[in-house]
Amino acid sequence: MQTSNTEEMVTISRAEYEHLQQEKARNAKLEAKFAALEQEQAQVITSLTLQNEWLLEQLKLSKKKLFGRSSEQAEQMVMEQLSLTYNELEAYAFGTKAATEKQIAVKAHERKRQSGNVLDVVPEGTPTEVVEHRLPGNERTCSACGSKLVEIGKEVRRSLMMKPAEFWVREDVYYTYACKNCEQETGEANIVKAAKEPALLPGSFASAEAVAYLAAQKFVMYSPLYRLEQEFNRQGLRLSRQTMANWLLNTSEKWLRPIYDALREQLCKEPVLHADETTLQVLKEPGRSSTSKSYMWLYRTSGCTKQAIVLYEYQPTRKAEHAEYFLQGFSGWLHADGYQGYHRLPGNIRVVGCWAHARRKFDEALQTLPKEMQKDAPAAIGECYCSRLFKLEQAFAELTPEERYEKRLEQAKPVLDALLSWANEMQAKTAPKSALGRAIHYLLEQWPYLARYLEDGRLELSNNRAERSIKPFVMGRKNWLFANTPGGAQASAVIYSLIETAKENGLDPYRYLLWVLQNAPQLSETDETWAEKLLPARAPKECYMPHK
């Protein structure tokens, strides 16, 4: 008997068929909606994950800025892991020629060990007060035999002595003379008066010594005027902070500003400069609230100059036009950070980027990662490239500008080429808003300015010179917090300029200011170019800081 395998056919009506088709279509729509919801949910999760990672990066960066070390150098373990990268980079950059090239030696710095002797602390020529301690005459008898005792030696103990700042009143008495003989013969006496020395500030009891001391205390030691007022009050001197402020402001405008202007004229003749800026709060600025941000700009000479000049300028905003106006007459290279305002300067000013800023971006990206992930991180490789450039600069430090130019083209340029190729490759693989993405974006955006240091051997790898010069102002701002008026802010800029320029040239700020204020009133009466005679470069030997 045979069994049929023919399938059984089911017959349905037209209405039932259409109903089944509608059900199928509804199911397909529901499946599509579910798929869209799942995709949307996945996108939300991805977005939240990226946002969470970004927030964690910001938290880690904030903690590092508050509690971490300030150096951007990689951790030792990272540098050890990246040593292979260094070797590969050297092979790429230098080929086999580097293996036979003579290494450039850099002079080592040795710090003198302190012996604990006061004579190792004080400068040469410090006055010494000798106090001798001898036995009274009635005690110079031997207690055993009654004979007279004879000096056979001595023991010397040296101590460092100090006392608070002294103050006293100086009276300049100018006598008047008359010829009595002329008076008897003509009825009118021939009167002659002793020549008066011009006052520092007519109508004021301020002296050059007092103003120089106040300027040094506020702008070198960062002591606010209210604190100086309290200190003076404890010594019985009732000198108000308003009086001190007026002395500093008027002295700055009358005697220091002309010297500042002469320094600015010299500055703009230099071929290479550095610039930076920082915020400042000015309470009483017309048309602006007391909480508005103002700016203290800094311009200074580079390492290739013979006489260093450091100048500050107060401005209410950070607009590029302020730098353009200040640098009128300047044509050359300007070291700066990545602020776009500098890039809008005229074409005769070629902006040079700062590799310290570029390296800092990679260091920040590296610090957002757990330590166990830092060894193989792309951020470590980026930082490694930057650090290699700095190590090369250390090796070139003792070379002439011409030799440095040649060495950079030979050794640094291949490193730059390799870094640029790596950054372009990594940019496509990196989230733009991540710390690493921002570091790569900064590097590529600033690349034309970062690579510009190759143009001349006098140029520097970073703008650290300007950052170091603006730091004294930042330190002072932490103590006195704000300026009262725009005039006070600019007076501070002028005083800071002369003080920092003096320090850069080995001068003691107090002694230099004292020399300026003692001579300016007299010189100004007979010499139109008196300010040029009082530049730091012309300061006498006694204005220089003492050395052992």
Side-chain angles (χ1 to χ4, degrees), residues 44-58:
V44 170
I45 291 173
T46 302
S47 176
L48 290 174
T49 302
L50 291 174
Q51 185 177 6
N52 185 51
E53 290 176 354
W54 183 85
L55 290 171
L56 286 173
E57 283 183 350
Q58 301 309 303

Side-chain angles (χ1 to χ4, degrees), residues 333-337 343 350-356 358 386 389 393 404-405 408-409 412-421 442-457 459-462:
W333 290 277
L334 179 68
H335 289 275
D337 56 23
H343 303 157
R350 295 183 64 77
V351 176
V352 183
C354 177
W355 278 97
C386 298
L389 294 174
E393 285 303 300
R404 189 179 301 114
Y405 171 77
R408 282 173 177 171
L409 292 181
K413 189 177 184 303
V415 180
L416 290 170
D417 293 340
L419 173 57
L420 180 60
S421 176
Y442 179 88
L443 180 75
L444 295 176
E445 182 186 48
Q446 298 293 318
W447 189 262
Y449 311 104
L450 290 169
R452 192 163 283 169
Y453 84 102
L454 294 177
E455 293 181 1
D456 194 286
L459 303 179
E460 299 180 12
L461 192 61
S462 75

